[in-house]
Amino acid sequence: MITHILATCLSLVAFLGGLRLMRSGFERMAEGRLARLLRTAASTPTRGILTGAVSTALLQSSGAVTAITVGLVAAGSLDFASGLGLVLGANVGTTVTPQLLNLNLWGIVLPALATGLMLSLSPSLKRRPLGEGLVGFACLFIALQALAAALRPLATAPFFHEALATAGRQILWAALAGCALSALVQSSTATTLIAMALAGGHMIPLEGGIAIALGANVGTCLTSVIAAIGTPRPAQRIALAHVLLNAMGVAVFLPVLHPFASAVSAVSPSPGQAVANANTAFNAICTLAVWPFTRPFARLLTWMLPDARTA
């Protein structure tokens, strides 16, 4: 039992380390250019949604994109409605990695690891961030497989089995657990992948895995909230939009989670894939629901968080 617990902890550390390394490398590649790209490409809410989705899919950090958006809006480089579009798109872009890692990528992962190691040791400083990103991606995939394997025997332990069963039965508690874990590790992607591993190993019901993934979308908003502290009102509204979009979406989906899970599982080959598909569908539906009303939504946020009155 101690061996399984140790293996799980080591796999989790490697998993989170790989995710951090991948993000760090890709963010360094875009350093200095990402803010300019977001500012120029997101001239309208619709273009903002597309730009937010693509940039977040590449960086795999909706928190980073949202935090940069908060800074651009605070500096007056981006208007509030376009910044709101970036936030909407970021929610969709962050679902790419769970979909990608659910595939059998062993044929790609090992060459990526070897290439990444060579680039990381390259004398050229410009190549090192790409190398770090590739190494991080490979470590993330390998650690995810190790985590799933380590959790499987551990789930037979009475205390662990009961905890997982409770999370699966109590949908609200599962969503809250996903929210707390995502806020703690500052990654909805990491939390969603863990939920996929649990559901894919039949350690928790599909509904519990989806609830954890949905809750993770709320927990990741902590980054944008922290970034908005002490900023002008428009930037604070961006953070508020991020929280409202995800919290309201979860509030709408949880009461219909069972039919939603049934619909997703009907077109998914495995429970792990079903969790990934549910997470993608949730974020896409929430974004598409708000997209036609981006500017009215912006006015609502302005009403909820008006400009501070000056004496």
Side-chain angles (χ1 to χ4, degrees):
M1 180 59 64
I2 295 177
T3 303
H4 295 318
I5 294 175
L6 183 61
T8 300
C9 293
L10 290 175
S11 299
L12 188 58
V13 169
F15 172 75
L16 295 175
L19 182 63
R20 183 176 293 272
L21 184 62
M22 181 184 74
R23 286 181 171 176
S24 174
F26 291 156
E27 285 178 10
R28 283 173 57 198
M29 286 178 61
E31 192 174 19
R33 293 189 292 271
L34 182 59
R36 291 196 298 271
L37 172 65
L38 296 180
R39 184 173 60 247
T40 55
S43 56
T44 66
T46 299
R47 292 181 63 181
I49 291 174
L50 296 174
T51 303
V54 172
S55 57
T56 304
L58 293 174
L59 292 180
Q60 268 314 289
S61 177
S62 60
V65 173
T66 305
I68 292 173
T69 302
V70 168
L72 291 174
V73 174
S77 301
L78 194 67
D79 70 271
F80 173 53
S82 297
L84 182 57
L86 286 172
V87 172
L88 295 175
N91 278 357
V92 177
T94 196
T95 65
V96 170
T97 292
Q99 291 284 3
L100 189 61
L101 291 180
N102 202 49
L103 303 174
N104 186 357
L105 300 176
W106 284 112
I108 300 174
V109 166
L110 297 181
L113 179 60
T115 304
L117 288 172
M118 288 189 293
L119 291 176
S120 298
L121 300 174
S122 171
S124 174
L125 296 179
K126 292 183 178 180
R127 296 178 181 177
R128 290 182 184 177
L130 176 59
E132 290 180 8
L134 291 174
V135 170
F137 175 77
C139 290
L140 181 62
F141 180 81
I142 295 170
L144 180 63
Q145 310 308 312
L147 179 63
L151 283 172
R152 205 166 289 120
L154 190 62
T156 60
F159 74 94
F160 199 72
H161 178 77
E162 182 58 32
L164 291 176
T166 300
R169 291 192 304 265
Q170 304 294 332
I171 299 303
L172 179 59
W173 284 111
L176 291 174
C179 178
L181 181 59
S182 180
L184 182 65
V185 302
Q186 272 307 285
S187 174
S188 60
T189 299
T191 306
T192 300
L193 289 169
I194 291 172
M196 288 167 58
L198 292 172
H202 302 284
M203 288 172 271
I204 59 174
L206 175 59
E207 289 83 356
I210 293 176
I212 291 173
L214 296 188
N217 287 281
V218 180
T220 195
C221 295
L222 181 62
T223 301
S224 57
V225 171
I226 293 174
I229 295 175
T231 60
R233 274 288 196 263
Q236 293 176 5
R237 292 181 195 125
I238 291 292
L240 177 60
H242 197 203
V243 174
L244 278 182
L245 178 68
N246 289 294
M248 290 171 62
V250 171
V252 170
F253 271 77
L254 282 184
V256 295
L257 190 62
H258 292 292
F260 178 55
S262 298
V264 172
S265 63
V267 295
S268 304
S270 68
Q273 182 66 58
V275 173
N277 291 345
N279 185 48
T280 300
F282 166 77
N283 283 285
I285 291 170
C286 289
T287 296
L288 290 173
V290 177
W291 175 37
F293 311 103
T294 303
R295 294 196 182 277
F297 185 45
R299 289 194 292 269
L300 172 64
L301 292 167
T302 302
W303 174 78
M304 293 178 67
L305 199 61
D307 292 326
R309 294 183 179 180
T310 56

